Amino acid sequence: MLARVCTFTIDGVDPRQVWAEVDIRSGLPSFTIVGLGDAAVRESRDRVRAAIQNSHFEFPQMRITANLAPAFLKKVGPGFDAALALGVLAASGQAPADALNRYAVFGELSLSGALRDSPGALAVAEGARQAGFPRLIVPRERAREAAIVEGVEVVGVSSLQAAADVVKGSEVPPLPAPEPDTSVPLPEPDLIDVRGHAAPLLALQIAAAGGHNLLLDGAPGTGKTMLARRLPSILPAMSRSEAIEVTRIHSVAGIHANGLIRARPFRAPHHTISPSGLVGGGSPPRPGEATLASHGVLFLDELSEFQRSSLDALRQPLEDGAVTIVRAQRALRFPTSFILIAATNPCPCGFAGVDDRCGCGEAELRRHRRKLSGPLLDRMDLLVSVQRPTEDELREPPAIGSAQARDRVAEARERQRERLAGTAASCNGEMDAREVRRHVRLDPAAEQALGDAYMAGVLSVRGRHRVMRVARTIADLERCDRVARGHVLTALALRQRTGSETALAA
Amino acid sequence: MNDRRACDRCLKRTWLLARLSGHLDQARGRAEEVLELADTELLAALAGPRRGAVAAEYERVQPRAIRHRVGAAGLEPICRCDPGYPQRLLALSSPPSVLHVGGGLERLLEIVSGEPVAIVGARRASGYGLEVAGSLGRGLGSAGVAVVSGMAIGIDSAAHAGALDAAAHTVAVLPGGAEQPYPPGKRSLYNRIRGAGAVVSELPPGTAVRRWMFPARNRIIAGLSAATVVVEARERSGALLAAARAVELGRAVGAVPGRVTSPLATGPHRLLTRGATIVRGPQDVLDLLFGCGVRTAPAQTRPALADDLERVLRKISDGHDTIAALARAGLPADQALTALSALELAGYVRREAGGRYMVVP
């Protein structure tokens, strides 16, 4: 007899539908699984057999062939166990095969027959909804996460026995109560803690408002990291679809299990990270830090200490908002739309520009600059220097709190959304050259200032577009429809200086 | 290519210097005294136990082959026996026997027959020093005064680049062979100097750089120039050697003051206390060369500033040279950013490492 059960595999961070087909016929007792599975799938046989027997079902002593279709798709991980086991039960008449057609099933089995926690339930729930399944069986630990997706009834069960009971028609168990959050919430970093740092504060708001990448440059201990950590606090709240995407990614990566993520991600990988750690990779390919930072902030501290290859790997993600990983004739696409914020010392010793303490020679400076320069800096819209605040500034009241800044940012983003409706860009930082020309209206004095800068040779063509994007954001923050001279001048002061535009040192 | 402007004896001496380069390095503390020695004395003093063999080699060397090598390297030689040899150099106790010139011998002779000025200073210079050296080079260049320096990184290169920016002549005196740049990273500057001025060395092409050559090179820089200006120099800088040589030759010496707390200002300040002329800009150097007010540096054409920008510029000159410092001086950050950009575009300030803004002289 033949039965088939719908399940899903995670391809990158996206769900792909897989049919677990089970055929049982008379012959020498055997159990084979075909369909391009990995080692975990092959071992599934033994888990499924033991789980069925330990759940007080009968494991048919016949010839069992299971196929995971489509056969071309590589199936990874133990998430097919539950589907295979239910397939065996249905094919041997121990569960109703026609009722099973209404279910998608996902989860790993233990030998005892318990359904084990398996990462990626949110992605699976999205797949089940798209494929039109009314009900989804997942491990109980993952039920709340899967239930974020609307339009699918999530059945969170803790054993194969319970899953079979539901299929047979018993009542769907209620979702588990949300785990009481026992951890003491850490105070979110807030701009209210910042004293002094007038220019960096402005740059942070511009970066948040326009989705611009920002480079902080300053001597050790001046507060670069402290400032960078406060960027997420002034970004507008995520939309539901953004939140679901973030939750899905983090769930697939196995670093989140409980409900919808609401806070924007902030990822700060250490500078020893490998290229595949940063943009994703490995076998099976897993999302990297760039993907985990999607819709949030990726912070690279000590930018010049990162391997050149890691930084180069960030080019495509920054350019396209996604990274494509090719493994064994398969191309996977990981989304990567984040704001990049990086911090660096102005020179190897860190003290260039602070009195005459800097002891770096011209050659060292050039090496430092070369390490930083190039395509990555080319994608950084903003450069701001961070100086040590003075004693007086430390005693002053804070300039602005995160809540207030977030309101400003949200309003500026709203203006951009209206202007950019119907284009691929959602904020000024994402505008391409054509959109810059179309949407950035300069008044004559602003045009003049930009022209002067271009004539003076301090701007490349690309740099010119960068300045226009940033100027547009500054105007949005000030609720201006046209970009005025002051906006362009501010953008010029915050411009990234690459190549001949003398980057970071004299 | 070379119509015999270098005699056989002088050419043989360059061969000997290159041959004894390693030995000279051992005696580098007294390199200049040693260079005063005649060829046979040099051999006797330096070659040690191998002196017989070296002397035999020296006898066998063919001046024609040397001359050929110089020509093949694209250089033109002129020796101290030639009447066209730079007169100022002859005042040295040990004038280079031969100058190997790249970029045109006639051009070099024309440049050094005028009133060239040496601008020398520290390799690890500050942004301030580089800016001043560049603007001296530009200012002197646009007043028609050539700049002589050593093409080292830091002050030397900034001075050369300033002169080149003003489309003026500039001469680089190199420590090793003049057919290739030293330091090697300065190739593009080297090519520009060869194209618009001259590169010079006392040593034949292909000579590897050794430490004794730096003080030796400094004496040529001072010797070629009518005046020597030190921009930034630490306690024991080679630039101070050039200044000392200029004093001995009775040439004018100038020094650019710095901050008393900066180690880079030690050298210039010592020179100033000993009677060097203070150099605050190109005009001071022109006054030093030609007498007060005889020649004036062409004024830089910069757009006039509005009052508010003028005030900001004054604040920056007063040391409020970062956005944070300007904020402390009562200028909100957003206004400071706008003003700094406007000043930068107009050429009044420049952004330095670490976000410091510097007033362009």
Side-chain angles (χ1 to χ4, degrees):
Chain A
M1 211 186 140
L2 176 71
R4 60 177 210 164
V5 184
C6 170
T7 182
F8 289 87
T9 185
I10 311 280
D11 192 28
V13 293
D14 299 315
R16 296 268 182 274
Q17 194 179 6
V18 170
W19 285 103
E21 301 170 330
V22 180
D23 177 76
I24 299 185
R25 56 190 59 233
S26 52
L28 280 176
S30 70
F31 186 13
T32 17
I33 299 177
V34 296
L36 211 61
D38 68 354
V41 173
R42 278 196 301 281
E43 291 163 357
S44 183
R45 278 188 319 177
D46 303 316
R47 283 195 298 275
V48 167
R49 189 199 314 265
I52 286 178
Q53 283 164 346
N54 287 329
S55 304
H56 312 295
F57 291 108
E58 195 182 324
F59 191 80
Q61 293 301 314
M62 300 172 83
R63 201 174 118 178
I64 307 171
T65 312
N67 178 34
L68 296 171
F72 67 85
L73 189 67
K74 194 164 170 80
K75 284 105 193 152
V76 173
F80 311 104
D81 290 0
L84 286 168
L86 284 171
V88 169
L89 294 181
S92 58
Q94 300 179 77
D98 47 345
L100 201 52
N101 283 337
R102 298 171 55 232
Y103 289 85
V105 182
F106 179 72
E108 175 188 340
L109 283 175
S110 80
L111 297 183
S112 68
L115 228 60
R116 290 173 54 89
D117 187 6
S118 322
L122 178 58
V124 170
E126 283 190 308
R129 190 199 52 204
Q130 278 159 22
F133 283 88
R135 281 184 173 180
L136 168 67
I137 295 176
V138 291
R140 197 158 174 76
E141 290 92 337
R142 293 279 163 175
R144 291 209 71 80
E145 179 192 320
I148 292 165
V149 175
E150 284 156 358
V152 178
E153 191 181 355
V154 171
V155 182
V157 291
S158 49
S159 67
L160 179 61
Q161 176 81 60
D165 287 347
V166 171
V167 177
K168 281 179 195 156
S170 72
E171 205 159 301
V172 173
L175 289 180
E179 258 176 54
D181 200 356
T182 48
S183 61
V184 182
L186 289 169
E188 176 113 326
D190 194 292
L191 290 188
I192 210 98
D193 313 322
V194 180
R195 302 290 186 278
H197 292 310
L201 280 179
L202 191 62
L204 276 179
Q205 291 174 55
I206 296 169
H212 301 289
N213 299 321
L214 167 65
L215 178 62
L216 297 168
D217 147 42
T222 45
K224 301 187 290 286
T225 306
M226 183 274 295
L227 287 161
R229 290 203 175 274
R230 280 157 178 75
L231 181 57
S233 74
I234 60 171
L235 288 168
M238 285 193 286
S239 69
R240 190 173 165 80
S241 65
E242 286 172 336
I244 288 179
E245 186 175 346
V246 169
T247 311
R248 172 156 56 93
I249 292 168
H250 286 237
S251 156
V252 167
I255 53 177
H256 171 78
N258 200 17
L260 190 64
I261 297 179
R262 304 222 172 258
R264 290 193 180 261
F266 179 86
R267 305 294 300 181
H270 188 252
H271 58 69
T272 49
I273 193 170
S274 67
S276 50
L278 201 51
V279 298
S283 183
R286 289 168 49 84
E289 290 292 330
T291 300
L292 294 175
S294 248
H295 299 298
V297 175
L298 179 66
F299 174 45
L300 304 183
D301 202 357
E302 305 295 355
L303 186 65
S304 57
E305 301 293 322
F306 279 79
Q307 296 166 33
R308 188 64 196 247
S309 53
S310 298
L311 296 183
D312 280 348
L314 272 180
R315 285 156 61 174
Q316 195 209 0
L318 283 168
E319 203 74 42
D320 307 340
V323 62
T324 309
I325 307 273
V326 179
R327 288 286 182 283
Q329 299 154 13
R330 308 227 329 95
L332 290 175
R333 199 175 149 86
F334 290 113
T336 57
S337 59
F338 52 83
I339 297 180
L340 176 63
I341 180 163
T344 179
N345 294 334
C347 67
C349 80
F351 286 101
V354 186
D355 302 321
D356 287 328
R357 273 177 74 183
C358 174
C360 302
E362 195 182 330
E364 285 167 280
L365 283 173
R366 196 162 345 114
R367 209 172 311 126
H368 181 76
R369 199 162 57 209
R370 194 166 45 223
K371 190 123 193 233
L372 287 178
S373 70
L376 185 63
L377 278 200
D378 220 36
R379 296 294 304 171
M380 307 287 279
D381 291 336
L382 297 163
L383 163 70
V384 69
S385 294
V386 182
Q387 266 108 16
R388 203 168 67 110
T390 60
E391 180 67 30
D392 286 346
E393 281 170 340
L394 292 177
R395 276 196 286 266
E396 276 169 15
I400 190 168
S402 284
Q404 195 189 342
R406 190 163 54 233
D407 290 346
R408 277 188 79 192
V409 167
E411 199 189 322
R413 285 232 166 181
E414 191 49 46
R415 297 177 73 89
Q416 296 168 40
R417 225 183 330 272
E418 279 168 29
R419 186 178 332 110
L420 295 169
T423 68
S426 64
C427 57
N428 290 337
E430 291 174 7
M431 287 192 290
D432 62 20
R434 213 177 56 219
E435 283 154 0
V436 167
R437 275 195 296 277
R438 209 168 68 228
H439 294 293
V440 183
R441 298 240 174 280
L442 301 175
D443 71 16
E447 191 86 58
Q448 174 78 37
L450 194 60
D452 287 350
Y454 191 67
M455 295 277 282
V458 300
L459 282 182
S460 61
V461 177
R462 205 196 277 248
R464 192 183 149 105
H465 284 141
R466 267 201 304 266
V467 167
M468 286 171 81
R469 274 194 286 262
V470 173
R472 182 60 261 174
T473 303
I474 297 169
D476 283 330
L477 276 171
E478 294 182 2
R479 308 187 181 126
C480 300
D481 286 329
R482 284 179 84 88
V483 177
R485 184 178 142 85
H487 305 140
V488 168
L489 288 176
T490 307
L492 277 170
L494 293 171
R495 76 178 186 276
Q496 185 58 255
R497 290 139 208 258
T498 51
S500 61
E501 310 162 31
T502 52
L504 289 158
Chain B
M1 159 153 189
N2 47 72
D3 45 357
R4 298 274 170 148
R5 300 200 67 171
C7 70
D8 292 356
R9 260 194 67 201
C10 289
L11 281 174
K12 285 186 82 165
R13 182 176 172 83
T14 65
W15 175 88
L16 186 64
L17 288 180
R19 176 70 183 80
L20 294 178
S21 180
H23 299 91
L24 271 158
D25 218 32
Q26 314 256 296
R28 66 174 167 271
R30 292 172 294 130
E32 287 181 62
E33 296 162 45
V34 175
L35 285 175
E36 288 171 21
L37 301 178
D39 292 3
T40 48
E41 293 169 321
L42 258 181
L43 269 169
L46 293 178
R50 308 233 316 121
R51 83 172 61 102
V54 178
E57 268 183 75
Y58 176 72
E59 288 309 320
R60 283 200 305 275
V61 164
Q62 291 295 318
R64 215 174 33 170
I66 303 174
R67 201 172 274 122
H68 178 77
R69 274 200 295 277
V70 173
L75 302 176
E76 297 166 78
I78 182 169
C79 81
R80 56 189 173 196
C81 313
D82 189 281
Y85 186 81
Q87 289 304 304
R88 283 203 188 86
L89 273 185
L90 290 175
L92 286 171
S93 57
S94 56
S97 60
V98 175
L99 290 180
H100 303 81
V101 183
L105 177 57
E106 288 313 318
R107 182 157 62 195
L108 171 79
L109 296 181
E110 189 196 316
I111 295 170
V112 299
S113 65
E115 303 282 326
V117 170
I119 300 177
V120 290
R123 275 192 278 265
R124 284 189 289 128
S126 72
Y128 159 78
L130 296 172
E131 190 63 51
V132 172
S135 89
L136 282 177
R138 267 193 307 279
L140 292 173
S142 52
V145 173
V147 171
V148 180
S149 194
M151 214 177 82
I153 53 182
I155 299 296
D156 287 16
S157 292
H160 284 303
L164 290 168
D165 287 346
H169 290 313
T170 183
V171 176
V173 184
L174 301 185
E179 83 288 1
Q180 58 181 7
Y182 185 89
K186 291 286 178 189
R187 181 163 293 281
S188 69
L189 181 64
Y190 171 85
N191 289 336
R192 285 176 73 198
I193 296 174
R194 263 191 95 140
V199 292
V200 176
S201 172
E202 156 180 35
L203 291 159
T207 314
V209 174
R210 287 188 184 259
R211 289 170 69 180
W212 69 269
M213 297 174 188
F214 294 97
R217 175 267 301 272
N218 288 336
R219 91 185 192 285
I220 305 177
I221 293 178
L224 279 173
S225 311
T228 297
V229 176
V230 177
V231 178
E232 278 186 331
R234 291 188 176 78
E235 193 79 46
R236 290 169 56 210
S237 168
L240 295 179
L241 284 179
R245 209 57 64 239
V247 171
E248 281 169 23
L249 294 171
R251 311 265 168 84
V253 174
V256 177
R259 297 186 346 169
V260 291
T261 50
S262 166
L264 282 165
T266 323
H269 287 168
R270 179 144 31 118
L271 291 174
L272 287 172
T273 58
R274 295 184 185 166
T277 308
I278 187 167
V279 172
R280 293 157 295 187
Q283 187 57 53
D284 281 338
V285 181
L286 292 175
D287 290 350
L288 180 66
L289 283 176
F290 305 106
C292 215
V294 175
R295 275 169 77 169
T296 50
Q300 294 191 43
T301 50
R302 289 197 285 210
L305 287 181
D307 285 350
D308 52 338
L309 288 183
E310 193 74 57
R311 272 197 298 280
V312 177
L313 187 62
R314 213 154 38 235
K315 281 184 180 146
I316 300 170
S317 323
D318 289 347
H320 301 289
D321 55 359
T322 63
I323 293 165
L326 284 169
R328 261 166 254 145
L331 190 68
D334 48 344
Q335 289 176 34
L337 285 168
T338 328
L340 286 168
S341 249
L343 285 170
E344 197 181 357
L345 283 187
Y348 283 91
V349 298
R350 221 174 63 183
R351 191 183 190 278
E352 284 295 306
R356 248 156 80 156
Y357 282 83
M358 198 168 56
V359 177
V360 175

